Amino acid sequence: MAYQTILIDTQDGITTLTLNRPEVLNAFNNEMADEVLAALKVAERDSATRCLVLTGAGRGFCAGQDLEVLRARPEGVSFREHLLRTYNPIVTRMRTMEKPIIGQINGAAAGAGFGLALACDLRYMAVGAKFRFAFSGIGLAPDSGTSFFLPRLIGYARAFELAATNTPVAAKAALELGLVESVFPDETLAAEVRAIAARLAQGPTKALGLLKRAMNKAFDLSLDEALDYEAHLQEIAGQTADHREGVAAFLEKRAPVFLGK
Ligand code: LHQ
């Protein structure tokens, strides 16, 4: 499929989705939202994708909604309808896709772009990049899952402070807060992420998908319910070829070769 606003590259089990409107720090217009959603659907189905990397072209990761589009909005356009059509299904897809998603935060991530970064399973950040909540800066409430993810990651008061004051969060501060897993020099970020993604892409993809499902669901469960859900998922994992391969490789004292099946 030919995309106009994103780039897709799939190699060695890793699909890289690059937001590609660098002249506006990869801010979203409707076309980009549609294309991201379409590409996520393809990545979810495609067995050649065993790990997804989300990043931005140029010096930004994603500046959220394109504010020129917002300024030009005709009377009567509903923000609710807009969100239901764009960021909400994107964030839902990212959380329900049973494959690891890495945010390669190459530059500024703000507003819905911050939300997308937070919706990834893992975040690795360039030292020169920054996060900005942005919504409060333009008199808006949170969207794109930011009110959901931020307090879960860093606790309520820190999340509220960051959001209410709209203070930019530099990479080192993001690391200290627990917003990202590691910070790398700008010039080596892509290679570092590639190495991490390669490791995940060679993993037992089905089991990693079930791990993602279990950990996300556990937020809403009691211990008894979580134990029961784990037993249910283990029944599924126990029937995969990768499980059989993992046990055989251990007993034969060799590295497992997981095929994602
Ligand atoms: C931009 C943008 C941008 C257009 C930078 N649009 N041009 C959606 C719709 C409905 C309801 C509510 O919610 C939403 C979701 C949202 O995402 S709302 C939040 C929208 N995003 C923002 O408010 C973020 C605005 N941008 C910023 O805060 C900064 O630009 C960041 C922190 C992203 C980067 O800061 P700097 O590195 O200092 O870059 P800059 O500010 O100088 O921007 C560079 C250029 O990019 C500049 O254009 P220029 O022609 O002067 O080079 C900006 O105008 C443009 N740009 N964000 N969202």
Side-chain angles (χ1 to χ4, degrees):
M1 182 167 170
Y3 297 114
Q4 306 304 314
T5 61
I6 61 172
L7 304 170
I8 293 289
D9 172 69
T10 300
Q11 278 178 56
D12 306 324
I14 304 165
T15 292
T16 303
L17 191 170
T18 304
L19 306 172
N20 192 27
R21 301 186 73 225
E23 63 285 0
V24 285
L25 304 181
N26 306 312
F28 269 92
N29 58 10
N30 286 349
E31 188 180 21
M32 194 164 93
D34 290 345
E35 291 190 351
V36 169
L37 189 57
L40 289 174
K41 286 181 187 169
V42 173
E44 193 172 315
R45 281 195 301 264
D46 187 359
S47 58
T49 301
R50 294 173 64 186
C51 178
L52 183 76
V53 175
L54 180 62
T55 193
R59 76 174 184 87
F61 174 75
C62 174
Q65 176 69 37
D66 188 326
L67 293 178
E68 284 298 341
V69 175
L70 218 58
R71 181 160 61 178
R73 86 174 158 141
E75 274 305 305
V77 165
S78 152
F79 277 4
R80 177 181 162 76
E81 294 300 323
H82 180 69
L83 295 174
L84 294 185
R85 182 195 148 189
T86 55
Y87 308 115
N88 287 16
I90 289 174
V91 168
T92 302
R93 280 269 163 190
M94 289 175 69
R95 296 316 308 142
T96 55
M97 183 188 295
E98 295 199 350
K99 299 177 183 183
I101 304 182
I102 298 179
Q104 181 178 309
I105 317 300
N106 57 302
F114 190 23
L116 254 56
L118 295 176
C120 295
D121 296 298
L122 298 165
R123 281 158 292 283
Y124 299 98
M125 195 167 189
V127 71
K130 64 183 162 194
F131 288 130
R132 193 159 206 195
F133 183 70
F135 298 102
S136 49
I138 54 171
L140 287 179
D143 65 35
S144 310
T146 47
S147 68
F148 181 90
F149 298 120
L150 207 50
R152 278 176 164 74
L153 271 174
I154 65 174
Y156 176 82
R158 284 176 166 184
F160 189 85
E161 181 185 50
L162 188 161
T165 61
N166 198 25
T167 313
V169 184
K172 285 195 173 134
L175 183 63
E176 279 163 22
L177 276 168
L179 278 173
V180 297
E181 280 45 70
S182 302
V183 172
F184 295 112
D186 295 13
E187 54 283 2
T188 61
L189 175 73
E192 297 281 2
V193 168
R194 187 95 199 152
I196 297 161
R199 191 162 168 200
L200 291 171
Q202 286 158 20
T205 309
K206 289 244 161 72
L208 297 186
L210 297 173
L211 162 68
K212 177 167 172 173
R213 212 202 291 180
M215 282 194 169
N216 283 294
K217 181 115 174 156
F219 279 116
D220 304 322
L221 301 180
S222 67
L223 175 60
D224 281 350
E225 289 166 334
L227 287 169
D228 193 55
Y229 194 57
E230 285 180 352
H232 163 67
L233 297 183
Q234 202 65 294
E235 191 65 34
I236 300 170
Q239 287 165 29
T240 62
D242 281 346
H243 163 60
R244 283 192 292 280
E245 164 63 7
V247 173
F250 179 81
L251 295 175
E252 291 161 21
K253 301 193 186 308
R254 62 174 174 82
V257 181
F258 293 125
L259 300 176
K261 293 180 179 159

